[in-house]
Amino acid sequence: MRNHAESSNPVFQSNLPSGPVGYGFTAKTAELFHDHPLPGAQQHLPGRVVRLDRNRVLVASAAGLQHLAYPTRGPSPATGDWVWLGRNAAGEAAVVGVLPRHSALSRKRAFEASSEEQILGANIDIVAVVVPMDRPLTHNRLERTLVAAWDSGATPLVVITKADLADLADDVVGEVMLQAAGVEVVTTSAEHGDGLDELLQHIPAGATLVMLGPSGAGKSTLINALAGRELQETGAVRAGDGKGRHTTTSRELVPLPGGAVLMDTPGVRGFGLFDAVEGMDEMFGDLEELFGKCRFNDCSHQAEPGCAVQEALAGQSLDERRWNSYLKLQRELAALNRKHDAAARRAYQREWHQKVVSAERGQRAAERYRHDRAEERSSKRRKR
């Protein structure tokens, strides 16, 4: 017998492939698989990556959950990826293909010297930036995370937690709404069940939401409240610095009762931006408008006459903290681009060196061949 999700979803009334409905598989997803078949597609099943565990991948399909070996060929999967399931060369069940992503939340890898991208989650529809009310609001962190959320291709959402623990809830909410202009803000108290219905309205059936926030922000408690059961272990938060133990250790998809999917993530200590030009435009669109009002097109916004930015700072219509945050993020992105350019130059130089060496070897081989042929002809003439 079909369940409600199957009978109401047109994917089950067609010859399109079926997949894990509880993990966000919809008619639109079925069309994605239909449009990206693999050779021998009749032997493959649609699946979704639920969690990555070192050298194993937990994948959901219409048949249920299964642990598979981490694929050794093709693109590396991320939590949330839609994948084709089949058999590897050894005949074992395996991930045999990764489908194109409609969104991807990424950051620069945590260690400072790296300029590599780390995919935190794929095919996300809503990025919920969790702001706990039991500690001072970190404006720069909020802006940085919202930039990454906008740049991912998903819709940002700010979720304020622990509203029952703060005496100045209205003031904090007002600050957040002002800083996250254009982004919906939902205030919750998982302990009392406040704001959960409003939050669920932002997560339609089939949609995937990811929560980002520092350790101890109340994400695990909120996930348990949304799921209606104990899914995540919750830990105490230190009163001195507001930090908590990382009760979540890996990114994992969690089905919700209403048909939506939640991607839980570990507490994120830092969020290095990675190629977030679009996110910067969304988050700091007001500054882009100011730039267009400057007298000179190449204004550096320092001491030039007719600089709209300096005028806004002097008139206090532009917050100096916000301007400094923008400059800091731009410097970070510029430094990352320089690292990428340097890496590209090194790769080009290595490739060019290999081509030169190969050409030199070829030239020497050709010269030896011509020399040997000349010696052979000379020897033949002497014998005659």
Side-chain angles (χ1 to χ4, degrees):
M1 180 180 294
R2 291 181 176 179
N3 58 33
H4 175 72
E6 292 176 335
S7 61
S8 62
N9 193 331
V11 68
F12 297 100
Q13 302 170 13
S14 68
N15 58 359
L16 294 176
S18 59
V21 177
Y23 288 90
F25 191 87
T26 63
K28 185 177 180 180
T29 314
E31 292 174 359
L32 179 66
F33 278 95
H34 181 268
D35 294 340
H36 295 85
L38 294 179
Q42 66 277 6
Q43 302 174 5
H44 300 148
L45 293 174
R48 193 175 195 189
V49 177
V50 174
R51 191 179 68 235
L52 300 179
D53 297 321
R54 296 198 179 204
N55 60 344
R56 305 287 289 177
V57 183
L58 181 63
V59 181
S61 68
L65 294 172
Q66 53 184 327
H67 268 105
L68 306 176
Y70 195 89
T72 57
R73 296 182 180 179
S76 298
T79 302
D81 266 326
W82 292 106
V83 296
W84 279 114
L85 304 178
R87 298 282 173 180
N88 59 20
E92 303 168 328
V95 172
V96 295
V98 180
L99 273 64
R101 300 161 177 157
H102 73 259
S103 66
L105 180 67
S106 64
R107 68 170 177 175
K108 184 178 77 67
R109 287 195 177 275
F111 48 96
E112 189 66 29
S114 173
S115 62
E116 297 180 2
E117 180 182 21
Q118 178 187 19
I119 303 295
L120 299 180
N123 301 310
I124 298 163
D125 300 293
I126 305 106
V127 176
V129 182
V130 179
V131 178
M133 193 148 340
D134 62 343
R135 66 191 74 173
L137 177 64
T138 308
H139 295 276
N140 291 353
R141 182 192 184 99
L142 176 58
E143 286 174 342
R144 176 185 295 270
T145 312
L146 284 173
V147 167
W150 279 116
D151 202 67
S152 70
T155 301
L157 174 70
V158 175
V159 178
I160 296 177
T161 58
K162 306 183 182 182
D164 55 296
L165 299 182
D167 297 328
L168 303 175
D170 292 341
D171 293 341
V172 175
V173 173
E175 281 188 68
V176 172
M177 293 182 69
L178 182 63
Q179 188 172 356
V183 178
E184 294 283 344
V185 178
V186 178
T187 303
T188 66
S189 170
E191 293 289 343
H192 294 76
D194 297 335
L196 298 183
D197 290 339
E198 182 182 356
L199 177 57
L200 287 171
Q201 291 176 6
H202 291 274
I203 322 171
T208 299
L209 172 140
V210 63
M211 287 189 175
L212 294 179
S215 59
K219 298 192 308 297
S220 295
T221 303
L222 186 57
I223 288 171
N224 291 338
L226 291 174
R229 62 188 191 279
E230 196 77 12
L231 289 174
Q232 303 290 340
E233 179 187 357
T234 58
V237 177
R238 297 196 297 263
D241 55 11
K243 295 181 179 180
R245 181 167 55 88
H246 286 271
T247 55
T248 305
T249 58
S250 62
R251 285 169 285 279
E252 180 174 0
L253 298 184
V254 178
L256 297 180
V261 184
L262 190 145
M263 183 184 296
D264 188 21
T265 63
V268 180
R269 289 190 178 91
F271 212 106
L273 297 181
F274 184 87
D275 190 23
V277 176
E278 293 184 9
M280 289 289 288
D281 290 344
E282 290 286 353
M283 189 63 200
F284 295 98
D286 56 327
L287 296 182
E288 294 293 336
E289 292 181 7
L290 278 178
F291 298 159
K293 297 178 182 179
C294 291
R295 181 183 301 177
F296 303 109
N297 293 332
D298 59 348
C299 182
S300 65
H301 316 300
Q302 297 297 322
E304 293 90 340
C307 175
V309 172
Q310 292 301 320
E311 291 176 0
L313 288 170
Q316 297 185 347
S317 59
L318 172 60
D319 182 41
E320 186 174 358
R321 185 214 57 79
R322 178 173 169 79
W323 173 241
N324 289 333
S325 176
Y326 171 84
L327 293 178
K328 181 180 179 181
L329 294 176
Q330 287 288 17
R331 288 194 297 270
E332 183 177 321
L333 290 173
L336 182 62
N337 288 333
R338 287 195 297 272
K339 287 184 180 179
H340 276 301
D341 292 342
R345 283 196 301 271
R346 288 193 296 270
Y348 174 79
Q349 289 168 356
R350 285 194 299 270
E351 182 181 359
W352 178 253
H353 176 71
Q354 290 170 356
K355 288 181 178 179
V356 170
V357 171
S358 178
E360 289 177 349
R361 289 174 179 170
Q363 185 176 0
R364 288 196 296 269
E367 289 175 353
R368 285 196 301 270
Y369 176 78
R370 288 195 296 269
H371 180 268
D372 292 343
R373 293 292 293 172
E375 286 289 331
E376 290 178 6
R377 288 194 294 269
S378 176
S379 177
K380 290 178 180 179
R381 284 196 296 269
R382 286 197 298 268
K383 290 180 179 179
R384 291 176 184 171

